[in-house]
Amino acid sequence: MKDRDIPESALEQPPASYAGRTRFTQLEYDAVLANASIGIAFTRDRKFFLCNPKFAEMLGWKPEELIGQAGDVVYPSSESYEALGRIAVPVLTAGKQIDLDWEVKRKDGSTFLARIIAKAISSADPRRGTVWIVEDVTEQRRAGAELERLLAEQKLIVDNATIGIAFLRQRSIQHCNRRLEEIVGYAPGELDGRSTEIMHVSPEAFEEVGRIGYEAMSRGEAYTEERQLRRKDGTTIWCKVIGRAIDPARPQDGSIWIYDDISAERAQREGLERIVSERTTELREAQERAQHLADHDALTGLPNRRLLEDRLTQALALSQRNRKQTAVMFVDLDRFKSINDSLGHAVGDAVLKEVAQRLVRQLRVGDTVCRVGGDEFVVVLPESKRSTDAANVAAKIIETLSVPVQAADRELSVTPSIGIAVFPEDGRDAAMLIR
């Protein structure tokens, strides 16, 4: 309710002087009193001598019933009446106005809270009486008290929240809770009125949040992102940031922002991701090693029979499509068994490794050499252009393998025997060519 100051001029002419006024003025005066939405009463010698219908209705009386009644009739007790008098009399006598909330009593004995404004009709002569304006503010005060209670509860919740909360206007912090100050390392109240730029790791980061965040909020959406923020001491932390505009049409004019420190959680998550990545890499490498072992000879590292069949099948398909030949050579080492038996398996293994390396050096890119048995090797030469190509390769293999092998401080001689089959003349599938 707006304050109602009673002007001195409106009180200088008391109601007792009605007879001396014009009929028109009296009608106006009566109309004001009769239609006023607040209670108005006049007292003299602490008794009512005039009141409007609203005043009487508010207190459960008829206007004529109150005339002549002592003022204490509308108060819960004589003590209440006297207490008000001790407050009001010095003020009214000094020509000032009182304005306070006070409990008053209806005719039926019930009470309500009223706002009372009073002033002497004439400051020069207080005996001429007092005008009283009364309004039932029970519901207003109850609503106000309820609002204050809700605001206090909300403030208590915000102040004790485990997340940072801030109210921004034009990207400046109007208010924030203690938790946000703790998160970014500022003293109580130190963030109020400051731009949120001080919380960002760089001017570019500040601009990016302004662009992305306020675009989202202007669409009525919440801006949510995990972002690095800068503390007062210059260190950085990771926060989950959520911003929402109070009015999406004007997000810069007011927005609520929530900051949740997720540094520990993020570090833990990154650690788990690193462990998972390492485990995944280890698993993939283990799988690759297992696959390599399944497809290759453990001693020489050459493809084994399983991979030979796959490579040969692919080579035959390619040769058939391109109308070319594929040659398959079977290489067997003569006298290898006697070396193995007389000098031991370690020497024999060294000889086989050297033979494998020499075979690989004789081949082109795309050719395959496999170990299919103890001293047995198979060479696949895909897409041969001429029938003599395989014979030329065989001659080079015989030449290179005939050079003595150094093993166990000895020169050991091994000579190969080579059999050749050519697709499609000698067979049209891998099994036939190998056989």
Side-chain angles (χ1 to χ4, degrees):
M1 187 182 83
K2 295 181 180 178
D3 291 341
R4 297 182 174 87
D5 294 324
I6 304 173
E8 187 78 21
S9 60
L11 304 175
E12 287 299 327
Q13 192 68 271
S17 64
Y18 278 0
R21 304 179 69 188
T22 65
R23 178 69 178 167
F24 179 75
T25 303
Q26 182 177 345
L27 289 174
E28 282 185 327
Y29 191 75
D30 290 343
V32 169
L33 288 177
N35 293 285
S37 61
I38 55 175
I40 304 173
F42 296 89
T43 62
R44 184 184 298 133
D45 298 327
R46 308 193 80 174
K47 293 182 180 180
F48 293 106
F49 69 85
L50 182 65
C51 71
N52 71 340
K54 182 63 178 178
F55 183 87
E57 175 191 348
M58 193 183 306
L59 292 158
W61 299 81
K62 293 180 181 179
E64 59 272 17
E65 289 181 315
L66 276 175
I67 303 306
Q69 296 255 28
D72 63 358
V73 73
V74 297
Y75 293 93
S77 65
S78 58
E79 291 81 9
S80 172
Y81 179 61
E82 293 301 328
L84 178 61
R86 286 192 294 272
I87 296 171
V89 169
V91 177
L92 298 176
T93 302
K96 298 179 182 179
Q97 176 177 295
I98 66 167
D99 185 345
L100 46 71
D101 288 353
W102 204 266
E103 188 179 30
V104 296
K105 181 182 71 175
R106 298 186 182 92
K107 183 180 179 181
D108 63 6
S110 60
T111 61
F112 65 92
L113 186 66
R115 181 184 181 189
I116 297 175
I117 302 174
K119 193 171 185 181
I121 292 174
S122 172
S123 58
D125 185 7
R127 293 173 300 174
R128 294 177 64 178
T130 304
V131 61
W132 300 80
I133 295 177
V134 179
E135 181 180 17
D136 185 350
V137 294
T138 304
E139 185 59 30
Q140 288 178 323
R141 297 299 184 260
R142 187 201 66 76
E146 179 66 14
L147 179 60
E148 288 180 2
R149 183 186 68 80
L150 291 174
L151 290 175
E153 288 180 353
Q154 291 175 359
K155 186 176 185 302
L156 188 64
I157 292 171
V158 169
D159 288 345
N160 290 278
T162 58
I163 54 176
I165 303 172
F167 171 69
L168 307 187
R169 182 180 291 122
Q170 301 300 325
R171 306 200 70 185
S172 290
I173 300 172
Q174 305 303 302
H175 308 287
C176 72
N177 68 345
R178 183 66 191 118
R179 178 55 183 153
L180 177 59
E181 294 167 336
E182 292 172 349
I183 288 174
V184 290
Y186 286 83
E190 198 173 357
L191 285 174
D192 292 351
R194 302 188 69 173
S195 169
T196 54
E197 185 172 1
I198 63 172
M199 294 165 50
H200 289 276
V201 295
S202 66
E204 293 76 18
F206 174 69
E207 294 299 326
E208 183 182 37
V209 171
R211 184 180 68 258
I212 300 173
Y214 284 90
E215 282 179 1
M217 289 190 288
S218 66
R219 297 191 298 268
E221 303 170 1
Y223 163 74
T224 304
E225 187 179 14
E226 290 185 3
R227 179 167 284 277
Q228 264 191 315
L229 297 182
R230 183 179 62 197
R231 291 170 53 84
K232 184 180 180 180
D233 62 8
T235 59
T236 59
I237 56 172
W238 278 97
C239 279
K240 182 177 182 180
V241 181
I242 301 174
R244 185 179 288 278
I246 296 174
D247 180 0
R250 298 187 302 275
Q252 291 277 6
D253 291 348
S255 56
I256 303 297
W257 291 74
I258 294 174
Y259 302 86
D260 189 8
D261 185 354
I262 59 169
S263 299
E265 175 189 333
R266 190 177 177 97
Q268 183 180 30
R269 188 171 67 220
E270 289 175 349
L272 289 173
E273 289 174 353
R274 184 169 58 253
I275 292 172
V276 170
S277 177
E278 291 172 353
R279 296 282 174 83
T280 301
T281 301
E282 291 172 0
L283 179 60
R284 183 174 61 252
E285 291 174 349
Q287 290 173 337
E288 290 174 353
R289 286 195 300 271
Q291 186 64 48
H292 185 273
L293 290 173
D295 292 338
H296 291 78
D297 172 52
L299 177 64
T300 63
L302 295 177
N304 57 17
R305 183 180 293 274
R306 180 181 175 280
L307 190 54
L308 165 65
E309 293 176 355
D310 181 63
R311 297 271 182 92
L312 182 53
T313 300
Q314 293 180 28
L316 296 180
L318 187 62
S319 291
Q320 186 170 14
R321 185 166 57 250
N322 296 334
R323 299 181 181 278
K324 292 185 178 180
Q325 296 178 331
T326 291
V328 181
M329 294 191 296
F330 191 93
V331 180
D332 178 68
L333 300 181
D334 301 331
R335 297 188 301 276
F336 174 75
K337 187 174 183 305
S338 62
I339 294 175
N340 208 36
D341 292 342
S342 62
L343 300 178
H345 292 290
V347 175
D349 289 348
V351 171
L352 290 174
K353 289 180 181 179
E354 177 62 23
V355 168
Q357 293 175 10
R358 293 183 185 185
L359 286 173
V360 169
R361 288 196 291 267
Q362 293 300 314
L363 303 181
R364 306 166 301 175
V365 175
D367 294 345
T368 299
V369 57
C370 308
R371 183 186 177 205
V372 295
D375 60 346
E376 297 172 345
F377 299 85
V378 172
V379 177
V380 178
L381 307 175
E383 293 197 280
S384 299
K385 296 180 180 180
R386 296 176 298 275
S387 301
T388 57
D389 288 348
N392 293 334
V393 173
K396 290 181 180 179
I397 290 175
I398 292 172
E399 181 181 353
T400 192
L401 294 186
S402 297
V403 176
V405 175
Q406 294 291 331
D409 296 328
R410 298 186 183 190
E411 283 192 352
L412 302 175
S413 297
V414 292
T415 55
S417 296
I418 300 178
I420 302 175
V422 179
F423 169 88
E425 290 83 354
D426 300 322
R428 306 190 67 86
D429 58 56
M432 177 64 71
L433 289 172
I434 292 174
R435 187 165 61 249

